[in-house]
Amino acid sequence: MIDFSNINIFFEEKELYKDFSISFEKNSINFIMGESGVGKTTLIKYIKDQLLLKGEKVSVVYQESRLIPWKNVYRNLELVIKNKYKKEDRNKYIEEVLRNMNLNGIESLFPHELSGGMKQRINIARAILFDGDIFIMDEPFKGLDKYNKEKIIYFLKDYFKKKQKTVIIISHDINEVREFADKYILIKDNPVIKEVVYIN
């Protein structure tokens, strides 16, 4: 179990979380849901920072792309594995992950040449290549068309289970939860002392 207790978070002088606790089972896919403005993104940034301080290896997918604009797709992805593999192995892994994201043959394109949905799939590809033990994903399927969304959810569900990853995903889409989650966590605003509802 990964536990976080007595969380107190202020955002722009507003107290978002007070003496708040939340937990996640290891090797499980957990979705966090709640109304807009309840502080879900702030919470997972806090969780990510705490995990990194503990020395955990964390893969992160943000809502925004965070791609380096002057590097093409290949170079953006290569950054996370450059010191891990020889060049021929890097080529193989990048080609494989792009194929799984339905992005074959776009290695030479630059971020400004990509659609929003393509950038988001590259975000997911980069997180997979980094291969963290824990994945934190903020609205990872936002902007994806139905076909690519279904294909990637199918791939990720298999990948996470086989690799025994612990996964924390923010979503507003109950269908994603039904297709994908082991557990979803509903955060209610009271307004400062949040209530967590664990639903299997």
Side-chain angles (χ1 to χ4, degrees):
M1 190 73 76
I2 301 172
D3 292 303
F4 298 90
S5 302
N6 301 318
I7 298 171
N8 295 281
I9 302 175
F10 285 80
F11 182 74
E12 295 179 352
E13 298 184 1
K14 178 184 176 183
E15 190 171 27
L16 283 180
Y17 291 92
K18 180 179 180 181
D19 300 329
F20 178 78
S21 298
I22 193 167
S23 62
F24 308 94
E25 291 182 22
K26 289 188 175 181
N27 307 329
S28 66
I29 300 171
N30 305 272
F31 272 66
I32 295 177
M33 304 188 77
E35 293 182 4
S36 295
V38 78
K40 299 183 298 298
T41 294
T42 302
L43 176 63
I44 64 164
K45 284 179 178 175
Y46 172 89
I47 289 170
K48 176 205 71 177
D49 290 344
Q50 293 302 306
L51 290 169
L52 291 174
L53 284 172
K54 292 177 182 178
E56 299 282 0
K57 188 178 179 185
V58 184
S59 284
V60 184
V61 177
Y62 298 99
Q63 287 191 43
E64 64 278 8
S65 71
R66 302 200 179 188
L67 297 173
I68 299 172
W70 57 88
K71 291 184 181 289
N72 63 23
V73 169
Y74 179 89
R75 297 298 179 199
N76 267 283
L77 294 177
E78 185 188 36
L79 282 173
V80 298
I81 58 171
K82 195 166 187 177
N83 297 322
K84 275 178 71 175
Y85 303 108
K86 295 178 180 177
K87 185 170 178 59
E88 57 268 24
D89 290 326
R90 296 201 298 268
N91 293 344
K92 180 180 74 175
Y93 291 131
I94 289 171
E95 183 180 326
E96 180 182 353
V97 76
L98 286 174
R99 184 171 64 251
N100 286 322
M101 295 297 108
N102 199 26
L103 289 170
N104 313 53
I106 69 156
E107 291 88 341
S108 63
L109 296 183
F110 286 82
H112 73 272
E113 300 177 283
L114 306 172
S115 68
M118 292 169 79
K119 289 178 184 176
Q120 192 64 356
R121 281 181 277 161
I122 292 166
N123 288 344
I124 297 169
R126 183 174 52 193
I128 291 166
L129 285 168
F130 185 71
D131 195 33
D133 298 314
I134 300 169
F135 276 66
I136 294 179
M137 310 173 85
D138 191 354
E139 300 275 5
F141 313 115
K142 191 175 181 179
L144 300 190
D145 61 85
K146 186 174 184 292
Y147 171 77
N148 281 305
K149 184 175 177 178
E150 289 177 353
K151 178 181 172 71
I152 291 167
I153 284 176
Y154 179 82
F155 166 76
L156 286 177
K157 189 171 184 179
D158 184 63
Y159 169 81
F160 290 146
K161 291 300 181 185
K162 282 182 177 176
K163 299 280 189 175
Q164 294 188 308
K165 305 296 185 183
T166 302
V167 185
I168 304 167
I169 300 175
I170 287 179
S171 176
H172 288 95
D173 189 336
I174 192 63
N175 292 317
E176 292 174 9
V177 174
R178 287 172 179 153
E179 291 174 24
F180 202 11
D182 294 319
K183 177 183 289 183
Y184 79 85
I185 300 163
L186 180 64
I187 297 180
K188 296 182 178 181
D189 202 345
N190 286 332
V192 175
I193 300 173
K194 304 290 194 298
E195 177 187 358
V196 174
V197 181
Y198 295 94
I199 304 173
N200 291 312

